[in-house]
Amino acid sequence: MNRALRLTAGLAAAALALSACGGDGDDSTEPAAGGEDAGTPEPADIRLWLNGPDTPQSMRDWLVAEFEEQNPGSTLTIEEQEWEGLVDRLTTSLGSESETPDVVEVGNTQAPTFTTVGAFTDITDLLPELGGDDLLQGFVEAGSAEGRTYAVPLYAGSSYVFYRKDLFAASGIEVPTTMQEFVDAAVKLKQDNAATPNFSGFWLPGQDWRDGAAFLWDAGGDFAVEEDGEWVGALSTPESQEGLQLVQRLFTEASGAPKDGNEADGHVPFCAGEVGMMLRPGWLRGSLEDPEIGCPDMMPNVGVFALPGSDGEPAPVLLGGSNIAISAKSPNQELAANLLRIIMSDEFQSQYAENGLTPAKVSLADGLGTDEFAAATVEAVTNAKLTPAAANWATVEGSRVLEDLFVAIANGGDVQQLAEDADAAIADQLG
């Protein structure tokens, strides 16, 4: 199967997995105005929230210049938000006309929570203009409720393994083809580089449940499942326990990352020579190549591969990515819609592909290129998976129950008891 078809197949599978994301929509907001028949809106400063470093500065500069050229007299201010605590900040800001940003990025797993409570403007009528059937349909479903669309995909990015070729060679390790080979390689790398302080054969900070999810899912487990119409925690099932026990082994035998740390700024320990392997989205490449924050001289020794599963196929890593939406309380609906059109344009979206992320439009996937980084991106997405399709899932993420669970596991806690406690908390939040 060629690269573009494999990517389309993987994203189609994600769309099916998200098909249950629905909820009680709120039709109180009007569709964003715009189009040839719309009047010229009053100039304003439009505020755009973008999260983390995923959208590079070069893309932000292009977006500001393009928006201000197309909307004379108006300005665009981009405000970067940290992923940590984002749900709480969105909940507060989106509920205030005086504080709300005009356009916001939201994680694809968080989008259903906000679409079901009327926080975003109904953009159903704009959907054909923004990409229509060419958009990543799983993300469109995540941003829809009761047949109306409130958020569209911004980009997707499944993680794959970045590794040090020179350290593999020194330890006599070949690229792993199964999960067991991967774990054995991670442990051996740490043992062989014990003289390097804080060295990780596989870098896994304690809070990093998003990358830890791959080991849970590969064992057949899950965070939560729907039973008789209700969502319940599933971390204490035998399958989930097998996956979490493996995660604990990686924490204790393979990782030297902080047991209470998060996955931000992975390029720092990598460039410091403290990492043999790490599971990261494609944008890490840009950070490593950046002469100011990265280590471009190290790149000849950097290789990539899709995390292998127990069956030799790619492991089911988290299908990460974001949606983009207009705040229902924005006083600048027309200008916000104009900005959304530019963000969804081929010119802007193709830049995501050039920076190693899957663009919102499937037709632009070829822009990922043909090198080993592009191949790893496509291979990883073919078996990528999503968090449970529960309308209240963002509540779970916002509560930090998963971060607390993984930190406790990293510190050697009783995995079964910790999972049972987390299951109770998850069931309560999803209910």
Side-chain angles (χ1 to χ4, degrees), residues 25 44 88 100 156 159 175 201 212 308 329 331 335-336 352 361 375 385 410 424 430:
D88 289 340
T100 185
S159 296
V175 171
K329 290 188 178 294
L335 286 170
Y352 277 122
K361 298 178 178 179
K385 189 170 178 176
L430 294 183

Side-chain angles (χ1 to χ4, degrees), residues 59-305:
M59 293 182 65
R60 301 180 191 207
D61 293 343
W62 183 93
L63 189 60
V64 169
E66 189 69 17
F67 175 81
E68 294 181 355
E69 179 181 347
Q70 291 190 24
N71 298 274
S74 293
T75 57
L76 173 61
T77 299
I78 298 177
E79 301 172 1
E80 181 169 318
Q81 302 296 311
E82 295 295 327
W83 282 108
E84 186 171 340
L86 177 64
V87 172
D88 289 340
R89 290 195 300 278
L90 283 171
T91 301
T92 299
S93 299
L94 292 173
S96 169
E97 291 185 10
S98 61
E99 298 295 331
T100 185
D102 299 283
V103 179
V104 297
E105 174 185 354
V106 60
N108 64 319
T109 63
Q110 302 164 346
T113 294
F114 293 98
T115 62
T116 57
V117 296
F120 299 149
T121 297
D122 184 342
I123 55 174
T124 307
D125 292 344
L126 278 179
L127 196 58
E129 189 177 346
L130 299 177
D133 292 340
D134 192 28
L135 298 175
L136 305 178
Q137 293 304 302
F139 286 66
V140 174
E141 291 293 331
S144 300
E146 292 195 338
R148 308 297 294 178
T149 298
Y150 299 89
V152 289
L154 180 61
Y155 61 81
S158 291
S159 296
Y160 48 86
V161 179
F162 287 74
Y163 75 99
R164 287 274 302 276
K165 296 178 181 179
D166 53 339
L167 297 184
F168 267 47
S171 291
I173 298 172
E174 299 291 334
V175 171
T177 58
T178 66
M179 179 61 75
Q180 186 60 57
E181 290 179 0
F182 173 82
V183 174
D184 290 344
V187 172
K188 182 171 175 53
L189 283 168
K190 183 168 176 58
Q191 293 172 344
D192 290 353
N193 294 275
T196 301
N198 305 315
F199 187 84
S200 295
F202 175 60
W203 188 75
L204 188 64
Q207 296 183 34
D208 191 8
W209 66 266
R210 292 174 179 83
D211 288 323
F215 306 98
L216 176 75
W217 287 331
D218 183 65
D222 211 336
F223 295 102
V225 294
E226 192 172 17
E227 294 180 354
D228 300 323
E230 295 185 359
W231 285 92
V232 297
L235 292 163
S236 57
T237 66
E239 295 82 4
S240 292
Q241 283 296 296
E242 180 182 343
L244 292 177
Q245 292 286 353
L246 178 56
V247 168
Q248 190 169 63
R249 184 187 176 200
L250 288 168
F251 276 137
T252 57
E253 298 183 35
S255 179
K259 288 181 167 49
D260 60 350
N262 62 36
E263 61 269 30
D265 299 326
H267 64 281
V268 175
F270 196 96
C271 289
E274 298 174 356
V275 175
M277 296 187 289
M278 62 178 9
L279 185 62
R280 297 278 76 214
W283 56 257
L284 177 68
R285 178 185 182 182
S287 296
L288 297 179
E289 292 177 336
D290 189 312
E292 294 186 5
I293 65 170
C295 44
D297 292 344
M298 188 183 287
M299 289 307 294
N301 275 321
V302 176
V304 292
F305 59 89

Side-chain angles (χ1 to χ4, degrees), residues 25-46:
D26 185 335
D27 296 329
S28 61
T29 55
E30 294 294 326
E36 295 179 1
D37 297 330
T40 302
E42 289 292 324
D45 178 45
I46 299 301

